[in-house]
Amino acid sequence: MKINKKKFISQLEKGIKDLDISYSNEQLQQLWEYYLFFIEENKKYNLSTITEPEEVIKKHFLDSLVILNQLNIDQRKRWLDIGTGAGFPGMVLKLFLPGDSFYLLDSSSKKVNFLNQLIYKLGLSGIDATHGRAEDLAKISEWRGSFDFVCSRAVASLNVLLEYAVPFLKIGGLAYLYKGPEYKTEIEEAKNALDILGAKIKKNN
């Protein structure tokens, strides 16, 4: 598959502008390098069935970035991405929040291997890909209650995901759990889990 870099960058740039997110040429270049490595390694690791340039831009890169305008970051923060897969959303967010610390967690060793290669390839610091299960790591004192933000995308139903995510958060921390069009139903079904965990849904003003 021959990929037109100029077209890719142009579509990516338009999408980021539409989200009203500030960006640099370096970040566009990093996402281009990310895409090329993702496509190459996908042949070995089967990271995603979404591989067409326009689809990766829309469904992986831009979808990962939609929360940026909702963040109120006045100092460096510590993030955990549960079930990161090929780095969505955590790796993409890291490129736009270079000062923050990111921990990418996945139960698939091949995906963690891909991410560690990508981290090295892009020359990133303050980011670590870890092989493990959320329910196990949440029992470790260095992980439990130590994150400002937890994010997760396409991992589990909301009531299950809350049980994974909330134990990692500091008091007052926020979880950004990416959901599809059925999110209202999932919120309704998660009310009991929210009560048990002492968490609540935060609405934007």
Side-chain angles (χ1 to χ4, degrees):
M1 178 171 58
K2 187 168 174 61
I3 307 154
N4 185 307
K5 179 180 179 179
K6 188 175 179 180
K7 183 180 177 184
F8 184 93
I9 294 286
S10 175
Q11 290 181 340
L12 182 60
E13 190 170 20
K14 181 184 182 303
I16 293 172
K17 282 179 178 176
D18 287 345
L19 291 176
D20 195 26
I21 294 167
S22 60
Y23 65 95
S24 67
N25 288 329
E26 181 188 10
Q27 288 160 334
L28 296 177
Q29 182 64 34
Q30 285 176 321
L31 286 172
W32 166 247
E33 294 292 336
Y34 190 158
Y35 176 71
L36 290 180
F37 191 63
F38 164 74
I39 290 301
E40 184 60 34
E41 297 300 294
N42 196 52
K43 298 169 188 172
K44 292 189 288 187
Y45 293 133
N46 192 27
L47 302 166
S48 174
T49 56
I50 297 170
T51 57
E52 289 298 320
E54 297 84 358
E55 293 293 287
V56 171
I57 288 171
K58 179 182 176 183
K59 296 182 178 178
H60 286 330
F61 290 166
L62 297 178
D63 191 58
S64 294
L65 294 172
V66 293
I67 67 168
L68 274 185
N69 278 336
Q70 300 172 38
L71 299 178
N72 180 18
I73 296 182
D74 52 4
Q75 55 188 353
R76 293 184 177 183
K77 301 292 186 182
R78 180 174 155 96
W79 289 77
L80 173 67
D81 181 6
I82 297 174
T84 188
F88 313 123
M91 177 69 83
V92 183
L93 289 170
K94 171 63 180 179
L95 299 180
F96 285 75
L97 299 166
D100 286 13
S101 298
F102 277 79
Y103 295 80
L104 311 180
L105 177 63
D106 203 275
S107 59
S108 166
S109 57
K110 64 182 183 180
K111 290 175 181 174
V112 170
N113 182 49
F114 161 78
L115 290 168
N116 279 319
Q117 290 182 67
L118 180 60
I119 289 166
Y120 178 78
K121 185 177 180 65
L122 295 178
L124 302 177
S125 60
I127 183 167
D128 180 68
T130 299
H131 175 238
R133 291 160 57 88
E135 52 268 47
D136 296 330
L137 290 174
K139 298 171 185 173
I140 301 171
S141 59
E142 299 92 65
W143 288 72
R144 189 177 184 89
S146 68
F147 291 90
D148 301 289
F149 297 122
V150 172
C151 57
S152 189
R153 181 175 174 266
V155 170
S157 60
L158 184 59
N159 55 350
V160 173
L161 198 47
L162 286 167
E163 291 181 29
Y164 291 159
V166 173
F168 288 103
L169 287 169
K170 295 177 180 177
I171 299 296
L174 293 171
Y176 288 94
L177 310 176
Y178 294 61
K179 286 294 169 184
E182 301 299 317
Y183 74 95
K184 288 184 179 178
T185 302
E186 290 201 45
I187 289 173
E188 195 64 31
E189 293 171 349
K191 282 185 174 178
N192 190 46
L194 286 164
D195 289 341
I196 291 170
L197 293 162
K200 60 183 179 180
I201 302 291
K202 186 174 184 291
K203 292 188 172 75
N204 289 329
N205 294 326

